[in-house]
Every structure is written in C-alpha cells, then in structure tokens.
Amino acid sequence: MKKGILYAVLASVLWAIVNPFIKQGLSYDFSPMNFAGLRFTVVGIILFAYTWHRGMWREIMQHRRLFGNLILINMFMGYTAFYFGVDFVSGAISSIVMGLTPLINVLLAHLVASNDRLNRYKVVSLAVSLAGLLLIVGTGSDGSPLDWRSIGGIVLLLACILFQGYSAISVSEDKGKVDPIFLNAVQMFFGGLLIYGVGIAAEGFHPFWAKPVGFYASLGVLVFISVFAFSFWFMALRTEGTKVSDINMCRLINPVLGAVLSWIMLPGEYPDFSTVAGMAVIVSSLVIYFRGETIVQRWRLRRH
C-alpha cells in the first residue's frame, strides 16, 4: 500500500469513531459549536507545543495563502456550514449528504486538480459506491416535501463538502516544505478560536468547567482523534505521488466502520440486510477504483 493511502486510511478510521463521543459530550448541556471550537482550540494548543520553532510566524506569513485557506475556508467556513446544516435537517438527510463527501471531492479533484483525472473504472466505482451509501443510510424520508429550512441545510452541507474539498486540493497542490503537523496546529488553533467565537455569538456561552467526568472523557478522546487524524490527513495529501481523488476514496471507510461501531457500542443498533449489503457494495467499489484496471487486464489475459 502506498504511504499516502495508508495515512488516509488511518485518518478515515479515526474519523469513523468520533460520532458517539460527540453525542456524549453534547449530552452534558453543551452546544455544538461551543464544543467544536473548544475541541479544535485545545488540539491547536497541544500541536503548537509540539511544533513550536524559531521562525514560526515568519513561516506562517511566507505561506499565508495556504494557512489562510485552511483557517478560513476549511475550518471556519467548512465547520460553520456543517454544524448549522446538521441543525437544519434530519439525521437521515445529513447522513446521506455527508456520505457523498468522497464522491463530490473526487469529482472536484477531477475538475480542479492538475494530473488527477477520472477514467472509466473510477467512474464505475463512483456509481457503485453511491449505491452502497444509499443502502447503508437508507432514504430516511417520510415522503413529505422539504421545507426551506431543510433545503437551506442541504445547501450548507454541500457547501461544507466543497469548502473542505477545495482546501484538500490546495494542500496537495502546494508541495512546499511546511510540516503537515504544523499545518494542522495552525488551522486547528486559529480555526478553533473562530468557530468558538461564532458559537458564543450564535448559541451563547457555555461554561466548560465543573462538568462531569464523562464530558472531559469525551472531549479528551475527540482531542486525541483530531491531533492524529488531521495530521495523518495532511501527511497523506502532501505525500509525493498520491492523488487527492485516491485519498478521498479512502473516506468511504467512514460509513462502513461507523455502522460496525454502532452495532457494537450503541444499544438497539443491529445489522440488517440493506446495511450489510451496502457495506459489501462499498468494498467492491473500492476494489474497482484501485484495482479495476488490473483485474480486467488479468481476466483478458486468461481468456487469451
């Protein structure tokens, strides 16, 4: 396995386990954006302590376009759109829309990134993976038409995917010598502060002291995941020879592993036919994406 793909798989595995801990943290009378801002700011402080070096501010100014992109577009605009979007729509609809993240980002990379073009095997893989995602999350609709609030939520979630996809491409295209972990430190700290500020303005201030142990345990797990997952993601994006589209396809691990963890961790959650079938379809789509051409060539050789 290529090193960049390995980093992307590690990041995707870590991201797949965040939802139960986010739900647990929010259950202690805490609002979503306050919690996200606090989480990301703490991650930034930890990573700054690890990556602090002489000339750090000069390096930030030297690469200010890249850092500004990550702070404003990826973190601030991306996560603000995400949290408000999730608040406006049902859980089923948000799962469907966010499940499209790898597919939209692969298409975005095809349109925007240099030397990252789709072939017929990748197109087939995208179609197959979409079918698998729909099987996993289901339609989640009662047949009633969407109101303007729900439509606005879907638009915000799609905007989140585009913001973060564009930022991923910019990180991959800029093959400078900025350390990926330092990139993560800067975006987390300043992006987290911006999100926290918006959270206070939109949701009011929620004190984070004198909380039960469960709150700090959830926050600690999420901080740990963010420290490593985002750093692995940047390392994947900045590995020579890896493509943004290939890396984003690894994010299809999220709904598969997320479903398995739900069966293990959440009471009342159990596998059903459509979910298991959807997972099998997604695995087959990844095989088609990464090995489809090789498999077809071997099959043709055997026939001759």
Side-chain angles (χ1 to χ4, degrees), residues 160-212:
C160 165
I161 294 172
L162 291 174
F163 288 148
Q164 296 186 338
Y166 175 78
S167 295
I169 292 170
S170 70
V171 172
S172 179
E173 295 276 292
D174 185 348
K175 297 294 185 182
K177 295 184 178 180
V178 182
D179 177 54
I181 300 177
F182 181 62
L183 274 177
N184 194 20
V186 175
Q187 78 145 2
M188 285 287 169
F189 180 73
F190 292 104
L193 285 179
L194 283 172
I195 292 171
Y196 197 45
V198 171
I200 292 173
E203 304 166 338
F205 175 71
H206 291 250
F208 51 82
W209 51 86
K211 292 285 185 182

Side-chain angles (χ1 to χ4, degrees), residues 86-126:
V86 167
D87 188 48
F88 289 169
V89 299
S90 69
I93 291 177
S94 65
S95 296
I96 292 170
V97 176
M98 294 311 295
L100 298 174
T101 297
L103 313 184
I104 292 174
N105 284 345
V106 168
L107 294 173
L108 186 64
H110 172 71
L111 296 172
V112 177
S114 59
N115 300 320
D116 200 344
R117 296 292 178 262
L118 292 172
N119 57 34
R120 57 185 175 181
Y121 301 101
K122 293 181 178 181
V123 171
V124 171
S125 172
L126 293 179

